[in-house]
């Protein structure tokens, strides 16, 4: 089995689930699909999002797609002890320089760093402060 190299941020997974996703994102996914994974944090954000939707056909379709397409096709990389150490370091360092960032985003970044993966996100500027204090690698597949 090939080890995943790209960790897809929640906004990338949401994009590929759209009825008309960005063509550049789709091209990159097609080229690298076997090397892609998602974090347990992203999985949580996706499940939370669908579970908070009003009951109906759209919710059912999105839930089915999450289970049958996303969960089935992408390894879910867990937030483990190693990621927790990195996460605490990132959060403390950002807090000490007066630049705290959202808990989930720093958690996703720590999973990428702890697994030597490239975090694929549309929000490059949002993650740049983390990149300045850690070995976080970033790519934007919208470009």
């Amino acid at each position: 089995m090939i080890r995943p190299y790209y960790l897809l941020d929640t906004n990338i997974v949401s994009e590929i689930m759209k009825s008309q996703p960005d063509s550049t994102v789709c091209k990159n996914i097609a080229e690298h699909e076997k090397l892609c994974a998602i974090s347990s944090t992203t999985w949580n954000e996706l499940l939370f999002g669908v579970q908070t939707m009003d009951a109906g056909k759209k919710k059912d379709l999105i839930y089915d797609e999450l289970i049958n397409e996303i969960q089935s096709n992408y390894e879910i990389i867990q937030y483990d002890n190693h990621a927790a150490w990195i996460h605490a370091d990132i959060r403390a360092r950002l807090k000490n320089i007066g630049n705290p960032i959202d808990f989930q985003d720093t958690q996703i970044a720590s999973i990428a760093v702890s697994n030597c993966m490239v975090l694929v996100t549309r929000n490059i500027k949002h993650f740049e402060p983390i990149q300045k204090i850690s070995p976080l690698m970033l790519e934007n597949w919208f470009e």
Side-chain angles (χ1 to χ4, degrees), residues 75-94:
E75 180 179 348
I76 299 173
I77 308 294
Q78 300 301 311
Y79 178 74
D80 61 11
N81 186 43
H82 186 220
W85 277 96
I86 293 168
H87 187 208
D89 180 64
I90 288 170
R91 289 183 63 220
R93 292 173 74 189
L94 288 171

Side-chain angles (χ1 to χ4, degrees), residues 4-23:
Y5 181 70
Y6 296 103
L7 191 68
L8 305 179
D9 192 11
T10 309
N11 56 50
I12 299 296
V13 179
S14 295
E15 183 65 30
I16 62 176
M17 291 179 63
K18 289 181 177 178
S19 59
Q20 294 185 331
D22 181 85
S23 62

Side-chain angles (χ1 to χ4, degrees), residues 34-45:
K34 298 290 185 209
L35 297 173
C36 294
I38 64 173
S39 70
S40 55
T41 307
T42 290
W43 184 238
N44 172 271
E45 289 179 328

